[in-house]
Amino acid sequence: MAKSRAERLEEKRRKNQLVAAANVQAVKVNKTENKAKTRLVWESMAQAISDKDKSVLSRKKQVEYEEDKAEILMNLLVLAFEGEITQGTLIKLLRRDVLGVNQDQFVELTGINRKTLSQVEGDRTKPTMKALVELIRPFGLEFAIVPRSKPMRDKVVDRLVKKRHSDD
């Protein structure tokens, strides 16, 4: 017996819902697996580095890891200097990718309120100068006065480069 048009449409709608639900579930699984893998890698690296005697890593691996962290730090600073990432995003990426710590661990390290850190990283508030000093201290950074306009920043960088070459 032939199905009516309404029955065929309903059957097609159900199939599409099942396919969509399966796709959503697959995406959720992949995201969860990737987050879990990333978290495990960062946690294990942070634990290895934080061990007092650092015996988990060979000296060569320690040096390579420190060089990787320094390279990440430099890349993030360039992005911030160029205005390609916000202050909050910079703090978040420094915390996560350079130190390899979660917000709770960073709060313990800096003494900044957890809510404040979350708001700063989400660019929902601008930190006070005191808070910003505490947030950048773990990275060996300090404040500098930098021009807002890109042409002026470029001129400052050019002068610094020329000065560096003339000093060498």
Side-chain angles (χ1 to χ4, degrees):
M1 194 151 106
K3 295 180 183 177
S4 70
R5 183 173 192 277
E7 289 173 330
R8 287 191 314 269
L9 287 174
E10 181 61 24
E11 186 176 309
K12 187 174 183 178
R13 186 185 63 77
R14 278 193 213 128
K15 283 181 183 176
N16 287 341
Q17 283 179 332
L18 290 173
V19 168
N23 288 339
V24 167
Q25 188 62 30
V27 168
K28 285 181 182 177
V29 167
N30 286 340
K31 282 183 179 179
T32 304
E33 286 175 359
N34 288 341
K35 284 181 182 178
K37 287 177 187 174
T38 302
R39 188 176 340 111
L40 285 173
V41 167
W42 280 110
E43 286 173 355
S44 64
M45 288 171 64
Q47 180 61 43
I49 292 301
S50 68
D51 290 341
K52 288 184 181 179
D53 62 354
K54 295 184 180 180
S55 61
V56 175
L57 296 176
S58 69
R59 180 70 185 139
K60 183 178 178 184
K61 286 184 180 178
Q62 287 177 33
V63 169
E64 288 173 2
Y65 181 70
E66 292 301 322
E67 288 172 356
D68 289 346
K69 288 192 331 183
E71 184 66 24
I72 291 169
L73 175 67
M74 291 303 295
N75 290 337
L76 291 174
L77 292 175
V78 167
L79 289 173
F81 189 79
E82 293 292 326
E84 294 181 28
I85 58 174
T86 64
Q87 189 178 62
T89 301
L90 175 64
I91 298 293
K92 179 180 180 177
L93 294 174
L94 287 171
R95 170 188 59 78
R96 191 186 69 193
D97 297 344
V98 174
L99 289 183
V101 297
N102 62 32
Q103 284 187 336
D104 292 327
Q105 293 165 324
F106 195 65
V107 163
E108 288 179 27
L109 181 65
T110 61
I112 298 295
N113 181 304
R114 171 82 158 70
K115 182 178 178 182
T116 301
L117 176 61
S118 180
Q119 289 176 337
V120 168
E121 288 186 351
D123 291 315
R124 292 184 301 276
T125 189
K126 295 285 183 188
T128 64
M129 287 291 281
K130 181 180 177 185
L132 202 48
V133 167
E134 292 302 314
L135 288 169
I136 66 172
R137 186 172 35 88
F139 308 103
L141 301 175
E142 63 181 32
F143 280 103
I145 297 173
V146 180
R148 286 185 183 192
S149 77
K150 183 164 177 26
M152 183 67 101
R153 277 196 316 264
D154 291 344
K155 286 180 183 179
V156 169
V157 169
D158 288 342
R159 283 197 182 172
L160 288 170
V161 169
K162 286 178 186 174
K163 183 178 184 317
R164 164 101 5 138
H165 288 299
S166 68
D167 289 347
D168 290 341

